[in-house]
Amino acid sequence: MIKKLAVSSFLTLTYATQSFASGDEHAPMHHDAGHAESSGGLPQLDPSSFTGQTFWLIIFFVIVYLIFSRKSLPDISRTVENRAERIKNDLDSADRLKNEVTSVQDTYEESLKKAREESSLLFQKIEDDLKVKSEDNTKKFQDYSADKIAELEENINKARDAAMEDMSEIAVDVATDAAEKIIGVRADAKSARAVVNSLNKAA
């Protein structure tokens, strides 16, 4: 940008110098009189010195341009290039970070989805296991209850049979004593037991 501006200024200055020199060649004669009258003024305003001033201005401008082109302009160009490179690197870093963030977000969402699916499967498995265990425990309890009921019924039957046997023995004793008191003869215990058993069966 600075090089283009310098070249443009140089071309403009050269064109102005040529135009001024052309104007001096076609100027009227009375201009010389005015020139003579103004020769006692400032030298830089003397039209006859414009060509020399323009020449030295061009020389000065060329020297300044060469100095800038060899020292300042390369530094400025390097600075601009470094700035552009840094901006490019920053943009690349931003794109890379954006891609990394997108990748991390996708990974997080995928992990979250997988965790939800695993949790759902785990809860379903736990529910199924509890259901199976509950059914097994219920069946075991029913079997245990049935066994206990059968055992209790058997014990009740045994107790009833034992009680009936005891009652039969008591009845035999009572019958024997009653027969002895009534008829004065003590009955045979075996015969009395047979009579009591026959009565129990009949009942």
Side-chain angles (χ1 to χ4, degrees):
M1 183 67 182
I2 297 176
K3 290 182 178 181
K4 291 181 179 180
L5 182 60
V7 172
S8 177
S9 300
F10 175 75
L11 293 176
T12 302
L13 185 58
T14 303
Y15 177 75
T17 303
Q18 292 176 354
S19 298
F20 184 79
S22 176
D24 285 344
E25 292 176 356
H26 298 86
M29 294 300 294
H30 67 273
H31 185 270
D32 292 338
H35 167 65
E37 293 176 357
S38 62
S39 60
L42 296 175
Q44 60 269 27
L45 297 179
D46 186 3
S48 63
S49 64
F50 281 175
T51 303
Q53 292 181 29
T54 303
F55 173 76
W56 288 111
L57 179 62
I58 293 172
I59 295 298
F60 175 76
F61 181 80
V62 170
I63 292 173
V64 172
Y65 174 76
L66 291 176
I67 293 174
F68 270 92
S69 64
R70 292 180 180 275
K71 293 184 177 296
S72 299
L73 291 180
D75 294 338
I76 295 173
S77 178
R78 255 192 319 272
T79 301
V80 172
E81 290 177 358
N82 292 335
R83 180 66 60 85
E85 184 68 20
R86 186 166 60 185
I87 292 174
K88 182 178 180 299
N89 292 334
D90 291 341
L91 292 176
D92 293 340
S93 299
D95 291 338
R96 185 172 63 255
L97 290 176
K98 181 180 179 181
N99 293 332
E100 291 178 358
V101 169
T102 303
S103 177
V104 170
Q105 184 176 2
D106 293 340
T107 303
Y108 170 76
E109 291 179 354
E110 185 67 23
S111 300
L112 184 61
K113 180 180 178 182
K114 185 177 180 181
R116 288 176 178 173
E117 292 176 354
E118 291 178 354
S119 299
S120 178
L121 293 175
L122 180 61
F123 287 147
Q124 185 65 38
K125 184 176 182 301
I126 292 174
E127 184 178 358
D128 294 340
D129 291 342
L130 290 176
K131 185 177 180 180
V132 171
K133 289 181 179 179
S134 177
E135 292 177 353
D136 291 341
N137 291 332
T138 301
K139 187 175 183 304
K140 288 179 180 179
F141 178 75
Q142 290 176 349
D143 295 340
Y144 176 78
S145 299
D147 293 339
K148 283 296 181 181
I149 291 172
E151 183 179 355
L152 289 174
E153 289 178 351
E154 184 179 358
N155 291 333
I156 290 172
N157 291 330
K158 288 181 179 180
R160 185 184 62 186
D161 293 340
M164 292 298 295
E165 186 175 352
D166 291 340
M167 290 178 65
S168 297
E169 291 295 331
I170 293 172
V172 169
D173 293 338
V174 170
T176 302
D177 293 340
E180 184 179 0
K181 289 180 180 181
I182 293 172
I183 61 175
V185 178
R186 185 172 181 81
D188 185 14
K190 185 176 181 181
S191 300
R193 186 175 293 107
V195 173
V196 171
N197 289 334
S198 63
L199 292 175
N200 289 332
K201 290 179 180 180

